[in-house]
């Protein structure tokens, strides 16, 4: 039988290991956020409709004339040309803090789920609903906590459009938003963001459950492997359908905040997120910014080119 001293020492080691693991996860999350930030920066500028580079006229393999818009690399080179390489990381600090909070919350939720998880081969629909409901509540609370940092990051990046310096840092950004708009300013676009995440969560979990239960045959030797990837594949498919919610959320984060990106002529002033949704739907822009590399629009009225 081990002495209390040994048991206490063992507990300390386990706790230290847990702390080290959490720190490693947070550092990894911060690194991934930093590496992918230029992608999201370019995406945000495309979302707000900023097109500083001229498109080129081309034809598809079927002979249809289209306008090819600049892709990620051309857009990123333009940002570097204007602001230097550091310009690609404008608005990164709030995103890192937001990512850290979200990662911490998700890790705690996963620990609780692992403790309560049973090794059932077939998960009942009732259990899926219960787990998804619990995950939805945590996700909503996490979004409420991190959304102010999302708004700050979006506004810092959107300054590129009008070359403003209204938000020069995270602390000054916080003070400026609170002074001009109050607490409500930190939650612009919260509703569509939450709705998009909730819809994604339910669709992904329910579709994965029904496919694993009714579409994957038990006699198939790789059935367990297929089930392990079903949710991942469903996540990719559902994310495409819920993208308009994320687009509207980002546009509402800069709507009428004093930046050129959220004011006419760059953008109308939206009365609500539904107004924004209807405007984008009418223009056919609900998926604007969803693609980085193959961006094209049809040529509706282009004069013929004569030799």
């Amino acid at each position: 039988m081990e002495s209390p001293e040994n048991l206490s020492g063992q507990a300390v080691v386990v706790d230290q290991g847990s702390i080290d693991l959490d720190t490693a996860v947070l550092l990894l999350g911060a690194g991934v956020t930093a590496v992918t930030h230029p992608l999201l920066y370019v995406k945000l500028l495309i979302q707000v409709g900023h097109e500083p580079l001229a498109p080129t006229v081309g034809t598809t393999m079927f002979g249809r004339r289209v306008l090819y818009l600049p892709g990620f690399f051309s857009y990123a080179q333009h940002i570097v040309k204007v602001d230097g390489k550091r310009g690609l990381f404008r608005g990164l600090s709030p995103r890192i803090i937001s990512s850290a909070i979200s990662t911490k919350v998700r890790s705690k939720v996963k620990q609780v789920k692992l403790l309560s998880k049973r090794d059932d081969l077939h998960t009942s629909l009732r259990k899926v609903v219960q787990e998804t409901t619990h995950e939805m509540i945590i996700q909503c609370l996490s979004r409420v906590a991190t959304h102010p940092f999302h708004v700050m990051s979006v506004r810092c990046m959107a300054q590129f459009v009008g070359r403003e310096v209204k938000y020069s840092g995270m602390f000054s950004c916080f003070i400026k938003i609170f002074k001009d708009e109050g607490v409500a300013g930190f939650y612009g676009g919260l509703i569509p963001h939450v709705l998009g995440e909730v819809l994604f969560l339910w669709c992904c979990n329910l579709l994965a459950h029904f496919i694993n239960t009714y579409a994957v045959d038990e006699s198939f030797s790789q059935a367990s492997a297929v089930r392990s990837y079903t949710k991942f594949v469903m996540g990719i498919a559902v994310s495409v359908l819920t993208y308009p919610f994320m687009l509207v959320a980002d546009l509402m984060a800069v709507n009428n905040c004093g930046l050129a990106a959220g004011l006419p002529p760059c953008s109308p002033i939206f009365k609500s997120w539904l107004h924004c949704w209807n405007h984008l739907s009418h223009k056919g822009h609900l998926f604007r910014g969803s693609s980085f590399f193959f961006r094209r629009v049809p040529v509706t009225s282009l004069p013929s080119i004569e030799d």
Side-chain angles (χ1 to χ4, degrees):
M1 181 176 182
E2 293 182 334
S3 63
E5 291 80 10
N6 291 337
L7 292 174
S8 177
Q10 185 178 6
V12 170
V13 171
V14 172
D15 291 341
Q16 184 64 40
S18 177
I19 293 173
D20 291 342
L21 180 60
D22 290 343
T23 303
V25 171
L26 290 176
L27 291 176
L28 178 61
V32 172
T33 300
V35 170
T36 59
H37 186 75
L39 285 169
L40 295 182
Y41 187 11
V42 171
K43 177 181 178 181
L44 187 276
L45 294 179
I46 296 174
Q47 285 179 329
V48 299
H50 185 54
E51 297 290 349
L53 302 175
T56 58
V57 181
T59 57
T60 65
M61 60 183 298
F62 300 105
R64 184 185 181 188
R65 304 179 75 186
V66 294
L67 289 176
Y68 286 97
L69 301 173
F72 166 74
F73 294 107
S74 298
Y75 215 128
Q77 288 175 358
H78 173 71
I79 295 174
V80 172
K81 183 178 179 181
V82 175
D83 285 342
K85 293 181 179 179
R86 292 184 60 185
L88 287 172
F89 299 94
R90 184 197 297 258
L92 175 60
S93 298
R95 282 199 63 231
I96 289 180
I97 295 179
S98 176
S99 174
I101 295 175
S102 180
T103 301
K104 194 68 176 177
V105 171
R106 291 176 184 275
S107 67
K108 294 300 181 183
V109 173
K110 287 182 179 180
Q111 289 176 8
V112 174
K113 289 179 68 176
L114 287 174
L115 292 174
S116 60
K117 186 176 181 180
R118 294 180 299 177
D119 295 326
D120 295 335
L121 184 60
H122 295 288
T123 303
S124 66
L125 178 60
R126 181 178 179 181
K127 184 178 179 182
V128 172
V129 171
Q130 290 176 344
E131 290 181 348
T132 305
T133 301
H134 178 259
E135 192 174 349
M136 177 187 68
I137 294 173
I138 299 299
Q139 181 64 34
C140 290
L141 294 175
S142 175
R143 173 51 53 190
V144 171
T146 60
H147 197 74
F149 299 99
H150 176 76
V151 171
M152 287 188 280
S153 178
V154 166
R155 292 191 181 184
C156 287
M157 292 186 285
Q159 289 184 130
F160 182 85
V161 176
R163 308 306 300 157
E164 298 101 342
V165 290
K166 185 176 180 179
Y167 305 112
S168 58
M170 192 170 65
F171 182 74
S172 64
C173 186
F174 180 89
I175 297 298
K176 190 66 177 176
I177 294 176
F178 184 77
K179 182 179 179 181
D180 293 347
E181 306 169 59
V183 177
F186 293 103
Y187 291 97
L190 174 65
I191 293 177
H193 213 152
V194 170
L195 288 177
E197 291 180 340
V198 169
L199 183 62
F200 172 85
L201 187 63
W202 279 98
C203 290
C204 185
N205 288 358
L206 290 177
L207 285 174
H209 167 73
F210 288 127
I211 290 175
N212 287 338
T213 303
Y214 301 106
V216 180
D217 192 351
E218 285 296 330
S219 61
F220 182 52
S221 60
Q222 301 296 326
S224 59
V226 171
R227 288 194 179 98
S228 64
Y229 287 103
T230 301
K231 195 170 183 179
F232 173 75
V233 175
M234 289 298 99
I236 296 176
V238 174
S239 65
V240 176
L241 299 177
T242 58
Y243 176 80
F245 289 95
M246 304 299 108
L247 172 61
V248 172
D250 288 343
L251 293 183
M252 292 304 296
V254 299
N255 178 57
N256 197 24
C257 69
L259 299 178
L263 293 171
C266 293
S267 172
I269 297 178
F270 302 113
K271 298 178 181 179
S272 67
W273 72 271
L274 290 175
H275 180 204
C276 179
W277 182 291
N278 291 333
H279 172 78
L280 293 172
S281 178
H282 178 72
K283 295 289 186 179
H285 292 168
L286 276 176
F287 291 90
R288 185 172 65 194
S290 60
S291 175
F292 287 113
F293 303 104
F294 303 103
R295 304 174 57 224
R296 64 187 187 186
V297 292
V299 179
T300 55
S301 56
L302 191 70
S304 59
I305 302 175
E306 298 180 356
D307 295 335

